Amino acid sequence: MVGLRFDAAAARVVGIRAMSDVGGAQEDLNADLVVDSSGATSRVPSWLEDAGFGVPPMERVRIDVAYATRLYRRLDSDVPPQAYAIAPDPPANLAGGTMFPI
């Protein structure tokens, strides 16, 4: 998304301006609802302010998610090279993980 589209008469957002993956051409897309999930780097607040709507209030939600990664050398005698997933079982066990062969 490279911008929002506004209906000045109705004072509302009516779509987005997007950049095509092919050739980088910009195109306008109409929408009844626009959801921005780009996080802290979002340009939507500044686009809304520039259009005269003001900066929307911000709410932060702490989610307590951590991420780690590591490479391990697999020996031929180890388990077969396939993907594994360990799902959490809340509330007793909140940790989960995945393992993929490279």
Side-chain angles (χ1 to χ4, degrees):
M1 178 168 59
V2 296
L4 296 174
R5 297 187 53 245
F6 299 96
D7 176 349
R12 66 186 193 105
V13 175
V14 295
I16 65 166
R17 177 162 286 228
M19 186 168 300
S20 170
D21 289 340
V22 180
Q26 291 187 6
E27 61 182 306
D28 290 338
L29 302 172
N30 295 325
D32 293 326
L33 174 69
V34 175
V35 176
D36 173 35
S37 58
S38 54
T41 62
S42 174
R43 295 174 54 200
V44 168
S46 63
W47 292 334
L48 290 171
E49 183 177 33
D50 292 346
F53 291 96
V55 176
M58 183 183 298
E59 180 178 337
R60 294 185 187 266
V61 177
R62 184 178 165 108
I63 59 171
D64 291 326
V65 171
Y67 170 82
T69 185
R70 168 132 189 196
L71 293 176
Y72 293 94
R73 184 177 310 278
R74 187 178 64 82
L75 303 175
D76 290 338
S77 61
D78 290 339
V79 295
Q82 58 188 353
Y84 294 93
I86 301 169
D89 184 22
N93 183 357
L94 301 178
T98 55
M99 184 171 61
F100 300 92
I102 297 178

